[in-house]
Amino acid sequence: IEAFSYIQKLKENKVSYQDINSQLNDLVELLELKLTILGKLTKLKTDDKELKTEMEKLKKELKDFNMVVNIVSTTNDVYVKRINQIIQETKENITAEINNVFKLFIIILVLFGLTIVAKMGIKKYIKDDDKHYTGNKLINFTFIILTIIVILFSYIDNASYLVTFLGFATAGITIALKDWFMSMFGWISIMLSGSINPGDRVKVTRNGVEVVGDVLDITLL
């Protein structure tokens, strides 16, 4: 979207520059017409010094504007060619970006397909509801992580940038969200170990008080 807006702006700039060139040419024509009229008036009033002074001034002005018109006309050709080149390069970049997004979509679609196949396999070969539930959770988590990694590597050309960014970001986020990270690592540990499953009845002690309850769900937090 930004690229298409940029192309539109370039086209507007090209038209604007061409309008300036056209206006300058019109102005030169008016000055030449004025100079012709003054020349005729000077012939009628040969002793009018003001007319002669104005005519000399107009000649100098016309000479300056002719020089400007020549410069603008020359640079207009160069400017238009340069804008057309930039527009073409931008269109090529748009095409490359569309292809990149399409490839990314295909990869994510393949990952999604593999996720569906894995879930079907779990449903077919694992009859235990608790294990089936845990397996589905792990598959969903893996799919999300892989999708994020694919997207990151698709838009970061140099992997070292990603490593550096993740290093600084992880350090800051870990300090700020320490409890959340502990919960997530706890979730991974519980899911991989299989020691606790939804439907289990557990007994925990908090502040010296024993609490008994049923495990309804095990979430990231």
Side-chain angles (χ1 to χ4, degrees), residues 127-144:
K127 302 302 181 183
D128 186 272
D129 290 339
D130 294 338
K131 291 182 179 179
H132 178 261
Y133 174 83
T134 303
N136 275 331
K137 282 245 177 183
L138 287 172
I139 289 171
N140 290 335
F141 181 75
T142 305
F143 169 72
I144 292 171

Side-chain angles (χ1 to χ4, degrees), residues 115-129:
T115 301
I116 298 296
V117 171
K119 286 186 176 183
M120 290 174 64
I122 287 177
K123 186 177 181 180
K124 183 177 181 180
Y125 295 106
I126 298 178
K127 302 302 181 183
D128 186 272
D129 290 339

Side-chain angles (χ1 to χ4, degrees), residues 17 19 38-39 65 91 102 127-128 141 149 151 168-169 174 176:
Y17 200 86
D19 286 342
L38 282 176
F65 270 102
K91 287 181 178 179
F102 182 73
K127 302 302 181 183
D128 186 272
F141 181 75
I149 291 173
I151 292 173
F168 284 109
T174 302

Side-chain angles (χ1 to χ4, degrees), residues 2 5 40 69 76 85 108 128 141 167 169 176 189-190 202 218:
E2 184 180 353
S5 299
K40 292 179 180 179
V69 167
N76 180 62
Q85 181 184 354
I108 293 174
D128 186 272
F141 181 75
S189 176
I190 291 170
V202 295
I218 305 172

